[in-house]
Amino acid sequence: MSTYKDKIDLSKLPEHIAIIMDGNGRWAKEKGYPRVFGHKNGVESVSVITEAATEIGIKYLTLYVFSTENWGRPIEEVNALMELLVNSIEKETERLHKNNIRLLTIGDTNRLPEKVRIKLEECCKYTSENTGLSLILALSYSSRWEIKNAIRNIVKDIETKKITSSDISDELISSYMLTKDIPDPDLLIRTSGELRISNFLLWQIAYSELYFTDKHWPAFRKDEFYKAIISYQMRDRRFGK
């Protein structure tokens, strides 16, 4: 029986896929459950899609886990999300290491609770030498925050004469981003039918291919992921030329 995975051209894989994981709350509401139920099931999708990316040889997978705007959600939901994050890291660290996956984070992680920061740092350090998939979690992240932070650092380095204004280029700006050691996404996926970027990797996705699906994140499984890759492979990427 043919599957979407069988239709993927492994010689033309996107090197980096980024995902806006949307729809946990709506998925739970449709089933008559509280939002936290959706977040818990969303964790399962993270595990499944990470496995799918590893199976076919994707090099980088960035997941938009928690935005700076999400701090404005009800405190009960935020606390539940933080606890879920801690539990997930504890549960998944050994599996990530066993599967040669390296964990990285981007975002204003200083805002995260200490318990979360410690678990993240431990997992990142433990998996730092792995050479397979790089799994990047965007936590307490927003692109405008990242760009503002980059501008501040550029200005600071101009003032201290480390660089001059004439040095400013696309490459230099990219080197001040949190993703400086990560290639720009080739493919950006957003689940749950929303047609917007939501302040995610705005600098980095200048020439990314965009893919939107009506599937809520807890219902997004391997075939949906593979369908997005097939769609990507059918496109002609011209990079403005």
Side-chain angles (χ1 to χ4, degrees):
M1 181 178 178
S2 178
T3 66
Y4 288 107
K5 184 179 179 181
D6 296 331
K7 299 175 183 178
I8 292 174
D9 184 346
L10 297 179
S11 70
K12 297 180 180 179
L13 288 174
E15 183 178 22
H16 182 183
I17 298 177
I19 304 179
I20 300 174
M21 307 181 298
D22 193 20
N24 289 347
R26 273 164 286 168
W27 180 86
K29 184 178 180 181
E30 288 174 5
K31 295 182 176 300
Y33 291 102
R35 291 175 60 85
V36 172
F37 179 78
H39 296 313
K40 289 180 178 177
N41 281 271
V43 170
E44 178 63 23
S45 286
V46 170
S47 179
V48 168
I49 299 309
T50 300
E51 182 179 89
T54 302
E55 286 177 359
I56 61 173
I58 300 297
K59 293 297 185 183
Y60 298 88
L61 177 66
T62 299
L63 304 178
Y64 202 6
V65 178
F66 192 87
S67 73
T68 54
E69 290 82 3
N70 289 157
W71 290 114
R73 291 185 175 183
I75 188 64
E76 297 82 4
E77 182 178 355
V78 171
N79 288 341
L81 282 167
M82 292 299 116
E83 189 64 29
L84 186 58
L85 183 56
V86 169
N87 293 338
S88 299
I89 296 168
E90 289 179 338
K91 179 182 176 183
E92 295 295 323
T93 295
E94 282 298 335
R95 187 183 70 85
L96 292 175
H97 188 56
K98 180 181 178 181
N99 288 286
N100 197 27
I101 298 170
R102 177 177 63 148
L103 184 71
L104 302 170
T105 64
I106 57 172
D108 187 8
T109 53
N110 288 328
R111 292 185 66 181
L112 296 172
E114 183 179 13
K115 186 177 181 180
V116 176
R117 292 201 312 273
I118 290 172
K119 290 297 180 183
L120 280 170
E121 289 167 5
E122 289 175 349
C123 187
C124 289
K125 183 177 180 180
Y126 186 54
T127 62
S128 62
E129 300 299 320
N130 291 341
T131 58
L133 174 72
S134 289
L135 176 62
I136 304 116
L137 304 183
L139 290 160
S140 189
Y141 173 88
S142 78
S143 193
R144 287 186 174 182
W145 170 84
E146 180 188 25
I147 292 169
K148 285 186 290 186
N149 190 57
I151 291 171
R152 290 191 189 102
N153 289 328
I154 290 171
V155 170
K156 180 181 177 182
D157 285 349
I158 289 174
E159 291 174 343
T160 57
K161 302 189 185 307
K162 289 183 179 179
I163 59 173
T164 67
S165 59
S166 60
D167 292 325
I168 295 175
S169 64
D170 286 359
E171 292 74 21
L172 182 130
I173 294 172
S174 292
S175 74
Y176 281 81
M177 294 293 174
L178 299 175
T179 55
K180 62 181 183 295
D181 298 318
I182 301 166
D184 290 342
D186 301 293
L187 172 63
L188 172 67
I189 300 169
R190 180 169 188 146
T191 61
S192 204
E194 301 292 349
L195 306 179
R196 54 178 177 266
I197 304 304
S198 295
N199 207 357
F200 185 49
L201 299 176
L202 299 179
W203 175 265
Q204 295 88 341
I205 63 168
Y207 291 105
S208 300
E209 295 297 320
L210 307 182
Y211 180 88
F212 300 97
T213 173
D214 289 335
K215 287 281 186 180
H216 296 316
W217 177 246
F220 190 82
R221 290 295 189 260
K222 288 185 179 182
D223 266 358
E224 295 297 325
F225 183 65
Y226 296 144
K227 281 167 65 176
I229 294 173
I230 292 167
S231 175
Y232 164 85
Q233 292 184 334
M234 294 173 65
R235 303 181 190 184
D236 179 19
R237 302 188 73 198
R238 295 186 295 274
F239 300 94
K241 296 178 181 178

